[in-house]
Amino acid sequence: GAVVSQHPSWVICKSGTSVKIECRSLDFQATTMFWYRQFPKQSLMLMATSNEGSKATYEQGVEKDKFLINHASLTLSTLTVTSAHPEDSSFYICSASRETQYFGPGTRLLVL
Amino acid sequence: GQQLNQSPQSMFIQEGEDVSMNCTSSSIFNTWLWYKQDPGEGPVLLIALYKAGELTSNGRLTAQFGITRKDSFLNISASIPSDVGIYFCAGLNYGGSQGNLIFGKGTKLSVKP
């Protein structure tokens, strides 16, 4: 149990376009999901906390208008990177809470 | 904010050797977690520790929650090639699923067959 999926697993896009990443808890319900970003050879950095039915809580320095989060149901949270730029290229990982945090497999974003 | 100091940063060992890594913090945590991350994958939970002094095993892995609640260690016995990866410790600010995890910088483990 406690399986979390992400889609897509990787995406390449042109600068200025928007990209949506989905995070699903497959076998449990999660009122809270988290979005992280990880740059090469670095640790995970929390971007925002996504709560079902309410606004996400963003960490300091993370632009909420650039990284739109929607937690529409107890099993789905989406992260949309709006007007993506090359510096947004990174590995984005979500987690869902069930006693503790279980992570998805990550989405690698490359912005050209 | 809270920070975790994880050491060593990297380890190169021979298959069959035991491994030890640890995390320390200047502040206390209610929960300590250890994750393993393979390249291009998300972290996988190895062991969760909920009580100070708790010693928990998962196969060849053993982890302890320090009495002071400011540190934790992870031991891997009789390492094998598939143990290769990056190990992260993480502290939870407060109990419950809504807590934010604070991650260490990771320990990169390489195992020579």
Side-chain angles (χ1 to χ4, degrees):
Chain A
V3 179
V4 178
S5 70
Q6 275 183 247
H7 177 80
S9 56
W10 60 269
V11 58
I12 301 174
C13 68
K14 292 182 178 180
S15 184
T17 60
S18 294
V19 175
K20 180 188 281 189
I21 303 170
E22 292 185 350
C23 177
R24 293 181 186 273
S25 55
L26 297 184
D27 52 359
F28 67 102
Q29 294 183 330
T31 55
T32 303
M33 292 184 174
F34 301 87
W35 287 96
Y36 294 82
R37 182 167 50 185
Q38 186 179 34
F39 292 106
K41 298 185 179 180
Q42 293 189 21
S43 187
L44 286 77
M45 296 300 295
L46 180 67
M47 298 175 65
T49 302
S50 170
N51 298 298
E52 187 267 337
S54 64
K55 291 183 178 179
T57 304
Y58 290 82
E59 295 299 298
Q60 192 172 9
V62 178
E63 300 175 55
K64 62 180 179 151
D65 294 329
K66 180 168 183 61
F67 298 99
L68 300 178
I69 291 173
N70 185 297
H71 196 150
S73 75
L74 289 172
T75 59
L76 173 63
S77 175
T78 60
L79 169 69
T80 301
V81 183
T82 63
S83 187
H85 291 285
E87 58 266 29
D88 297 324
S89 299
S90 188
F91 192 49
Y92 292 86
I93 311 173
C94 72
S95 71
S97 283
R98 179 188 179 186
E99 297 156 3
T100 185
Q101 289 188 31
Y102 294 91
F103 287 84
T107 296
R108 187 161 301 282
L109 171 64
L110 177 61
V111 185
L112 302 177
Chain B
Q2 290 179 300
Q3 291 185 333
L4 295 185
N5 298 310
Q6 185 171 350
S7 65
Q9 194 172 14
S10 62
M11 302 180 73
F12 296 85
I13 62 169
Q14 197 77 29
E15 181 178 2
E17 290 182 355
D18 297 342
V19 173
S20 184
M21 59 191 79
N22 69 84
C23 272
T24 60
S25 171
S26 58
S27 52
I28 63 174
F29 287 101
N30 288 336
T31 301
W32 280 91
L33 305 163
W34 285 92
Y35 290 89
K36 181 188 179 212
Q37 186 178 28
D38 291 328
E41 300 288 334
V44 174
L45 181 65
L46 299 175
I47 292 180
L49 302 161
Y50 299 104
K51 289 167 52 176
E54 180 181 354
L55 181 71
T56 298
S57 294
N58 178 8
R60 294 179 296 107
L61 278 61
T62 302
Q64 185 159 31
F65 191 153
I67 282 291
T68 65
R69 294 164 64 191
K70 293 182 179 181
D71 64 302
S72 177
F73 71 75
L74 174 71
N75 288 343
I76 305 173
S77 63
S79 58
I80 59 178
S82 61
D83 290 334
V84 166
I86 301 179
Y87 292 79
F88 290 100
C89 63
L92 196 59
N93 283 355
Y94 47 89
S97 60
Q98 284 69 34
N100 292 346
L101 285 179
I102 307 296
F103 279 88
K105 293 187 183 298
T107 296
K108 184 177 181 180
L109 179 63
S110 301
V111 180
K112 185 178 180 181

